Amino acid sequence: DGGITQSPKYLFRKEGQNVTLSCEQNLNHDAMYWYRQDPGQGLRLIYYSQIVNDFQKGDIAEGYSVSREKKESFPLTVTSAQKNPTAFYLCASSIGPDRLRNIYGYTFGSGTRLTVV
Amino acid sequence: AQSVTQLDSHVSVSEGTPVLLRCNYSSSYSPSLFWYVQHPNKGLQLLLKYTSAATLVKGINGFEAEFKKSETSFHLTKPSAHMSDAAEYFCVVLSGGSYIPTFGRGTSLIVHP
């Protein structure tokens, strides 16, 4: 079955540490996205990538970094510069950057819950 | 420019009664509109979508939504709530000038026995 796999499901980070969240898809989708979810705030876009080796900042990119070396993979690193990283992180993908293809919707992973300890 | 407002942060219903989750949108161009559902600690699942075809859209699990351009609304309805419908629901807009969607803040649906 095609889909998006996020790992780990739960992640604990100590102060000052960098941590990397994994996102892998086997849907052959061109575009991938990272969102942060906090209670009562909906989903906020961190980074997105339309094609391999290219990505753009979203609304809340500070303290995060990404890479897109392979079409299937879009890992997110939460750096020590992110002062309030405790949140639920969701990865998504869509067929491509073309709006007409994006109207088919977005496929989401099951999320990673990150907690600072 | 695009934006979306979910008018209720929480909606509480009894099992077997109708569900109404309200969503208003703003868009510079003809929008595509989506409703997603999220169960606790899970990802989002697409319920239904409007993409300029029929204004009454049917989705999974008995949910429907009607696109009303004059009211800039896309409310989600279901005739009879089930306990398994208890979840967070997100309204999403994608306007002609963008390929990045805007999510509403979510409505938590509570279903009482």
Side-chain angles (χ1 to χ4, degrees):
Chain A
D1 288 338
I4 295 182
T5 301
Q6 288 188 243
S7 62
K9 189 173 178 65
Y10 298 95
L11 185 58
F12 298 90
R13 191 195 93 167
K14 294 182 179 179
E15 296 279 355
Q17 270 187 339
N18 292 355
V19 291
T20 297
L21 284 60
S22 170
C23 178
E24 304 277 335
Q25 54 101 357
N26 61 3
L27 300 164
N28 200 33
H29 283 176
D30 289 316
M32 298 186 73
Y33 313 80
W34 273 106
Y35 289 91
R36 171 177 171 145
Q37 186 177 22
D38 296 282
Q41 296 197 43
L43 276 67
R44 293 183 289 169
L45 183 65
I46 304 172
Y47 270 97
Y48 62 99
S49 168
Q50 301 173 57
I51 56 173
V52 174
N53 293 322
D54 185 54
F55 48 83
Q56 288 79 38
K57 293 181 179 180
D59 300 319
I60 57 166
E62 185 175 353
Y64 300 97
S65 66
V66 293
S67 63
R68 187 85 186 277
E69 297 177 1
K70 299 186 299 182
K71 186 175 185 177
E72 302 78 20
S73 179
F74 192 41
L76 173 73
T77 297
V78 184
T79 75
S80 56
Q82 171 50 239
K83 297 307 178 188
N84 184 23
T86 295
F88 191 53
Y89 291 86
L90 285 163
C91 179
S93 70
S94 63
I95 291 175
D98 183 90
R99 179 190 175 272
L100 288 177
R101 289 187 288 175
N102 273 348
I103 67 176
Y104 294 106
Y106 304 80
T107 301
F108 283 84
S110 296
T112 294
R113 184 163 297 281
L114 174 62
T115 305
V116 173
V117 296
Chain B
Q2 62 188 27
S3 66
V4 60
T5 302
Q6 292 184 241
L7 298 168
D8 306 292
S9 58
H10 297 84
V11 170
S12 183
V13 301
S14 297
E15 190 174 22
T17 63
V19 175
L20 171 63
L21 305 183
R22 299 182 295 164
C23 173
N24 285 354
Y25 70 91
S26 172
S27 175
S28 302
Y29 303 94
S30 296
S32 296
L33 293 155
F34 308 81
W35 276 98
Y36 283 84
V37 61
Q38 183 183 33
H39 289 91
N41 292 311
K42 300 291 186 184
L44 276 68
Q45 180 186 16
L46 180 65
L47 271 179
L48 50 80
K49 60 182 183 285
Y50 165 78
T51 56
S52 74
T55 57
L56 182 62
V57 181
K58 294 185 184 298
I60 62 172
N61 299 335
F63 284 94
E64 292 184 350
E66 186 170 7
F67 173 71
K68 293 186 175 181
K69 186 175 181 179
S70 60
E71 299 177 11
T72 61
S73 69
F74 190 58
H75 302 334
L76 182 69
T77 61
K78 183 174 180 177
S80 176
H82 192 273
M83 294 297 291
S84 60
D85 294 328
E88 191 86 11
Y89 291 80
F90 292 94
C91 184
V92 182
V93 64
L94 181 66
S95 70
S98 173
Y99 54 83
I100 300 296
T102 297
F103 286 78
R105 293 195 168 199
T107 297
S108 178
L109 177 63
I110 301 162
V111 182
H112 299 286

